[in-house]
Amino acid sequence: MANLTCVLFALAILIFTLITAIYKPEEDPHLLQPTFTSSEHAIAKTREDYLNLTLLTPTGLSLDDVASNVSTSGLECVGSWDQPIDCTNPEVFHLMMRVTIETFKDVHFYKFGKPVRGTNSSTCDMAWRYRPKEGNADAFNKDYRRFVISRKEDCSFNVVGVGEYHTGLNARKPKKGYQRGFEKMNSSSKQVKSSAGVLPVVGGIADGELHVVNSNKDLFSDGKKYLVYTGGGDRCKSMNHYLWSLLCALGEARYLNRTFVMDFSICLSSKYTASKQDEEGKDFRFYFDLKHLMELGSVMEEGQFWFEWEKWERRGGQGLYLVEDFRVTPMKLADVKDVLIMRKFGLVEPDNYWYRVCEGEAESVIHRPWHMLSKSRRLMDIVSSIASRMNSDFDSVHVVRGERAKNTELWPNLAADTSPNALLSLLQNKIEEGRDIYIATNEPNTSFFDPLMDKYGTHFLDDYKDLWNESSVWYEVTKKLNKGITVEFDGYMRISVDTEVFLKGKKRIETFNDLTSDCKEGINVCPSIS
Ligand SMILES: *[C@@H]1O[C@H](CO)[C@@H](O)[C@H](O)[C@H]1NC(C)=O
Ligand SMILES: *[C@@H]1O[C@H](CO)[C@@H](O)[C@H](O)[C@H]1NC(C)=O
Ligand SMILES: *[C@@H]1O[C@H](CO)[C@@H](O)[C@H](O)[C@H]1NC(C)=O
Ligand SMILES: *[C@@H]1O[C@H](CO)[C@@H](O)[C@H](O)[C@H]1NC(C)=O
Ligand SMILES: *[C@@H]1O[C@H](CO)[C@@H](O)[C@H](O)[C@H]1NC(C)=O
Ligand SMILES: *[C@@H]1O[C@H](CO)[C@@H](O)[C@H](O)[C@H]1NC(C)=O
Ligand SMILES: *[C@@H]1O[C@H](CO)[C@@H](O)[C@H](O)[C@H]1NC(C)=O
């Protein structure tokens, strides 16, 4: 009878998302982005600094990254309160992560491993990587513990206890860690022929920037080899996430001496769009210099590749090597002879992020080819125009406010330290009165900085709106590139330009270090390199 009641209660459709712990190389809005272009030696150092700061020091995982109350049990639990706990159940995984984050408050978590069965049917073992919040420890630490789990009457799970340090022995990586990955590769890699039905249509790219491969030439006969990544959870994530993943793929292709087959269409995350929605179909060339990438690296457009591949297959050509597990390292693929290696990524985050290929053992072998990326010439033209309007003689100040200034828990002094009066007294000793200053900021209301006008000539990105308005060259050119459809000057372009103009300043004052003693990533998380 109790069973029947439970069935009735469970007559709801349970939609669940498997959002697992996420390591996000995420940037806050308007953080200085890595900058790629300028060949000026003067800023080379600065550029590296930013790369390290914005990309290599993620803030770690927080409760927000873990879905709070995913319920996937429902029907399955009916009459099974005494059944063994399935450690692979996502609900159990989430619960364990949540309890861990709540229990160990003095550390930052970077990655949780999937739980595995412990010693008996009510225990699960889970491993994670972490760094202490205090201090500047560079290395990640590992822990794995044993969790005792029970079921509550309402079918949900409950953590009864968490074991001591390093008790979750079953979650510990086996010593010969990648031996296992290799076996997996062996069983999951097959010679497969792709079915013509799923091949994407050839993308027509009109712009002269694209070196369209001469179709008469056989792409596959002269020993050329290719690497392609398909699927994955990277789409529509932040631009830093996109780059971190793309550069991993490019790094692997370079390591394997293969041409990377690339999708030139980007999904722009909602954080940069006016619509506040993720927007598909953004052209790589809006943001980056494709010609530069093609000159320095070996890449090919996906649509055209598949078109040629299909022709090749029709003629009896073959040689597709499929890899479905990111733990198969690039080193393991070095001896693969097949024409095409296809890495396929699944649906479950974060295991389906491209950049995971470059983690672990691969980290020291695969180098991200940052030099292949530079910003789009069109954006750099705007940067040059802005600089020349200030006679290329200005100092710059980067003022981070926005959400961070409001979060006094993590950034207790930021709001005060970046207030106009604090700025004035700080700049007093650093920048001569009467100078032009360019203020790169995420503060939307620029009249906030009005008090500075008494002493300096202040300039903001939006003072130069005409450089991308409807009568601008940029507007014309991008519209043409975009097959006649107007292109929005979006949030990422703004950050790109703002950053580059900032870097052209003679004296550059940064928020963190220069203006406030608060740490960039919040309290006690100052990057060790600064
Ligand atoms: C950036 O990080 C790399 C690797 O950790 C290090 O070798 C390099 O010196 C760092 N660059 C700067 C400017 O700190
Ligand atoms: C989580 O629980 C809260 C309140 O208990 C509820 O409002 C919210 O919709 C739940 N979220 C999910 C994803 O079930
Ligand atoms: C499983 O082991 C844990 C701790 O080792 C213990 O607390 C629990 O009672 C055991 N459960 C069963 C069903 O044996
Ligand atoms: C696994 O790889 C070995 C050589 O590395 C090969 O001899 C064996 O046949 C492969 N097994 C399968 C199932 O493909
Ligand atoms: C790639 O090419 C270089 C130079 O030709 C060679 O030294 C290297 O071993 C090659 N790497 C792989 C994985 O084939
Ligand atoms: C902008 O800031 C100024 C000065 O802080 C303030 O007087 C004004 O009301 C603000 N405007 C808006 C739209 O918030
Ligand atoms: C764009 O800027 C130019 C130069 O300031 C100006 O003449 C023109 O009216 C602006 N166009 C629009 C549509 O705002």
Side-chain angles (χ1 to χ4, degrees):
M1 207 53 206
N3 287 2
L4 181 63
T5 320
C6 197
V7 169
L8 289 175
F9 271 118
L11 278 180
I13 298 165
L14 298 169
I15 300 165
F16 54 89
T17 39
L18 300 182
I19 304 162
T20 59
I22 296 170
Y23 159 96
K24 282 183 188 162
E26 186 88 359
E27 84 279 37
D28 270 44
H30 216 84
L31 249 189
L32 278 189
Q33 297 291 304
T35 167
F36 314 112
T37 338
S38 190
S39 53
E40 297 145 53
H41 297 299
I43 75 161
K45 170 88 170 74
T46 326
R47 164 159 108 195
E48 270 181 27
D49 286 346
Y50 288 144
L51 292 185
N52 277 357
L53 294 180
T54 55
L55 290 164
L56 304 181
T57 55
T59 33
L61 296 158
S62 70
L63 279 176
D64 298 341
D65 296 320
V66 182
S68 54
N69 41 4
V70 195
S71 177
T72 62
S73 38
L75 284 170
E76 292 109 81
C77 93
V78 171
S80 61
W81 289 283
D82 50 357
Q83 291 290 296
I85 301 290
D86 177 11
C87 301
T88 61
N89 181 330
E91 194 180 344
V92 174
F93 186 17
H94 283 262
L95 174 69
M96 289 170 68
M97 285 192 287
R98 221 160 56 235
V99 168
T100 308
I101 293 173
E102 280 167 348
T103 308
F104 306 105
K105 291 201 189 301
D106 52 352
V107 304
H108 284 299
F109 295 94
Y110 288 86
K111 189 155 62 180
F112 289 99
K114 296 248 168 65
V116 297
R117 195 176 189 276
T119 38
N120 62 28
S121 62
S122 57
T123 53
C124 296
D125 293 358
M126 182 173 74
W128 56 86
R129 294 210 292 175
Y130 69 96
R131 256 199 270 238
K133 281 182 183 169
E134 300 282 347
N136 281 333
D138 277 333
F140 291 107
N141 299 310
K142 282 199 192 100
D143 198 358
Y144 34 90
R145 297 189 186 231
R146 182 150 295 161
F147 293 67
V148 182
I149 294 171
S150 70
R151 252 184 230 272
K152 289 197 267 191
E153 235 168 71
D154 66 358
C155 301
S156 66
F157 298 96
N158 188 27
V159 169
V160 183
V162 181
E164 296 293 313
Y165 183 68
H166 282 193
T167 44
L169 290 170
N170 293 350
R172 191 179 50 173
K173 269 232 171 77
K175 273 282 181 302
K176 286 184 175 173
Y178 71 88
Q179 200 70 24
R180 188 195 259 177
F182 184 53
E183 279 159 25
K184 182 89 187 272
M185 172 185 93
N186 206 336
S187 61
S188 70
S189 322
K190 305 159 242 164
Q191 297 275 339
V192 285
K193 290 191 77 171
S194 60
S195 73
V198 298
L199 294 181
V201 194
V202 189
I205 291 184
D207 193 70
E209 268 186 20
L210 243 188
H211 299 186
V212 175
V213 181
N214 184 352
S215 308
N216 298 328
K217 215 176 116 203
D218 198 325
L219 286 180
F220 306 106
S221 59
D222 60 355
K224 280 198 85 174
K225 294 192 168 62
Y226 300 87
L227 172 71
V228 67
Y229 281 25
T230 65
D234 309 274
R235 229 169 158 80
C236 310
K237 294 287 193 307
S238 77
M239 202 58 113
N240 273 359
H241 182 131
Y242 170 77
L243 292 177
W244 195 237
S245 281
L246 175 69
L247 282 156
C248 168
L250 290 171
E252 183 182 34
R254 194 158 70 138
Y255 169 79
L256 295 173
N257 295 328
R258 286 172 177 263
T259 297
F260 184 66
V261 177
M262 183 175 152
D263 184 357
F264 291 149
S265 159
I266 296 178
C267 173
L268 189 67
S269 156
S270 57
K271 69 200 288 182
Y272 311 113
T273 60
S275 64
K276 303 284 171 223
Q277 306 284 315
D278 294 341
E279 289 181 15
E280 281 285 354
K282 301 287 182 180
D283 195 310
F284 182 83
R285 294 168 295 175
F286 293 169
Y287 311 99
F288 306 103
D289 188 338
L290 184 58
K291 196 170 166 211
H292 178 82
L293 173 63
M294 295 187 113
E295 277 164 6
L296 295 180
S298 185
V299 300
M300 179 171 181
E301 201 266 330
E302 204 173 66
Q304 178 169 17
F305 176 85
W306 289 121
F307 180 75
E308 298 289 336
W309 177 261
E310 210 184 331
K311 285 203 304 198
W312 155 258
E313 281 197 319
R314 274 203 302 270
R315 290 201 312 268
Q318 53 182 315
L320 171 62
Y321 192 90
L322 185 67
V323 183
E324 292 186 275
D325 186 337
F326 71 86
R327 280 163 296 200
V328 177
T329 63
M331 294 78 89
K332 289 282 174 203
L333 299 175
D335 294 328
V336 171
K337 298 281 183 289
D338 299 80
V339 174
L340 176 63
I341 293 177
M342 179 193 272
R343 277 198 187 267
K344 211 170 148 188
F345 296 82
L347 296 172
V348 181
E349 300 189 25
D351 278 359
N352 63 356
Y353 292 159
W354 291 9
Y355 63 72
R356 303 216 54 184
V357 170
C358 293
E359 289 180 349
E361 267 184 282
E363 209 170 307
S364 54
V365 180
I366 305 300
H367 304 290
R368 285 182 170 80
W370 284 101
H371 66 283
M372 290 183 191
L373 271 195
S374 72
K375 284 179 182 163
S376 132
R377 271 187 294 113
R378 300 170 195 92
L379 290 180
M380 292 311 290
D381 286 347
I382 294 182
V383 173
S384 307
S385 303
I386 295 178
S388 64
R389 284 197 200 169
M390 289 184 282
N391 299 319
S392 299
D393 183 19
F394 61 97
D395 299 318
S396 46
V397 188
H398 178 214
V399 184
V400 176
R401 291 183 51 83
E403 289 308 310
R404 292 196 207 197
K406 287 186 199 136
N407 186 340
T408 50
E409 207 172 294
L410 285 178
W411 294 278
N413 309 305
L414 183 58
D417 289 345
T418 56
S419 71
N421 288 332
L423 281 175
L424 259 182
S425 66
L426 249 151
L427 294 183
Q428 203 171 7
N429 308 320
K430 306 199 183 221
I431 298 181
E432 246 175 83
E433 205 172 323
R435 292 276 298 164
D436 279 323
I437 55 175
Y438 181 82
I439 301 180
T441 183
N442 60 345
E443 172 62 49
N445 178 4
T446 53
S447 48
F448 176 82
F449 298 102
D450 281 354
L452 270 66
M453 282 161 64
D454 294 342
K455 290 224 167 119
Y456 303 104
T458 55
H459 304 265
F460 301 92
L461 181 62
D462 274 338
D463 296 345
Y464 305 96
K465 268 183 183 157
D466 59 291
L467 293 172
W468 60 85
N469 81 5
E470 288 171 29
S471 352
S472 67
V473 175
W474 179 87
Y475 185 89
E476 276 312 306
V477 174
T478 52
K479 188 172 164 186
K480 200 165 143 202
L481 188 67
N482 201 30
K483 303 187 185 93
I485 302 160
T486 300
V487 177
E488 177 197 338
F489 190 72
D490 60 54
Y492 189 70
M493 296 172 183
R494 292 181 62 90
I495 293 173
S496 260
V497 171
D498 220 14
T499 305
E500 290 295 333
V501 177
F502 170 82
L503 290 173
K504 283 184 181 296
K506 291 204 166 144
K507 272 189 194 152
R508 297 183 297 268
I509 312 287
E510 253 297 359
T511 306
F512 299 99
N513 299 333
D514 291 335
L515 296 181
T516 179
S517 55
D518 282 0
C519 300
K520 183 169 185 172
E521 306 294 356
I523 209 154
N524 288 332
V525 238
C526 281
S528 43
I529 14 103
S530 59

